[in-house]
Amino acid sequence: ARDGTIYLASNALYAVTPGGKTRWSFDLVGHAFSSVTLAPAGDRLVVGTQRGGLYGVSISGKQLWRIKAKWDIDSTAAATSSGLVLVGGDNGRLRALSLESGEEKWHAQLKRSVRSSPAVARDGTILVGCDDRYLYALDSQGQEKWRFATHGFIRSSPVVDQDGMILFGSQDEHLYALSPEGKLKWKLKLGGDVDSSPTVGPDGTIYVGADDGVLYALR
């Protein structure tokens, strides 16, 4: 967070000072494999767990809401400036919820588990990978705009660079770059599954890890 507080989750949600002291902890139902999401306003946290559901928690450690689920939520939620939480689950559903109350606004039913974390492009397009081997682009109401096929599960979370190019990895051992319209610009075979989410440095260098134990820096 802006004040340096570190938020992380395992069997509980923790707030840790920059010096490594536990400020507070909040017990969760189920283990959290997802990362903690901090709302754009910095006033609340969202985290999903396995078989426990999705939690909205204040930055003081108080539960604001909880959506119970019988399936794993390993996808890290995306919180938008418009007040939505976007999150996938092992039931194949991408849900858009109110950040304020947890109320569902809409959902998109995909064919298999959604463990990729969604990203939102500048034009509002929602991008998310799925275990059906497709990267999906959805509009602001969850309607499909296009899909792009790979040859492996997509657990990597897509990233959109400053020019609108979409970067993501697949368990077919490739890193992909797509145009905003979903057309292939290039793909690069790495040394293992690409479950890691790429990041783009200020000079345009792409950094990504793969299951061969290597961190790659790409032009």
Side-chain angles (χ1 to χ4, degrees), residues 13-152:
L13 174 62
Y14 295 91
V16 179
T17 69
K21 305 285 188 183
T22 300
R23 184 166 287 158
W24 53 257
S25 64
F26 175 85
D27 288 339
L28 300 169
V29 176
H31 184 79
F33 274 93
S34 68
S35 299
V36 181
T37 300
L38 179 64
D43 61 343
R44 61 192 60 207
L45 310 162
V46 179
V47 65
T49 69
Q50 295 194 322
R51 309 274 171 175
L54 189 73
Y55 290 82
V57 180
S58 73
I59 57 170
S60 61
K62 305 297 183 185
Q63 180 175 311
L64 301 173
W65 48 263
R66 176 187 169 199
I67 307 300
K68 295 181 180 180
K70 295 181 180 179
W71 53 86
D72 295 348
I73 299 178
D74 290 340
S75 167
T76 296
T80 73
S81 56
S82 61
L84 285 181
V85 174
L86 302 166
V87 67
D90 275 9
N91 63 341
R93 184 170 291 183
L94 179 72
R95 304 174 77 181
L97 310 170
S98 165
L99 182 59
E100 184 72 24
S101 65
E103 177 190 1
E104 183 174 301
K105 299 298 183 180
W106 55 260
H107 69 263
Q109 186 64 51
L110 306 184
K111 293 182 179 179
R112 295 192 68 178
S113 297
V114 180
R115 296 187 179 181
S116 166
S117 302
V120 183
R122 290 182 182 176
D123 66 355
T125 299
I126 299 162
L127 303 158
V128 69
C130 183
D131 278 7
D132 67 0
R133 305 181 180 186
Y134 284 95
L135 182 82
Y136 287 86
L138 310 174
D139 67 17
S140 60
Q141 297 302 311
Q143 299 300 308
E144 185 177 321
K145 297 175 69 172
W146 52 260
R147 67 174 76 175
F148 180 87
T150 72
H151 296 286

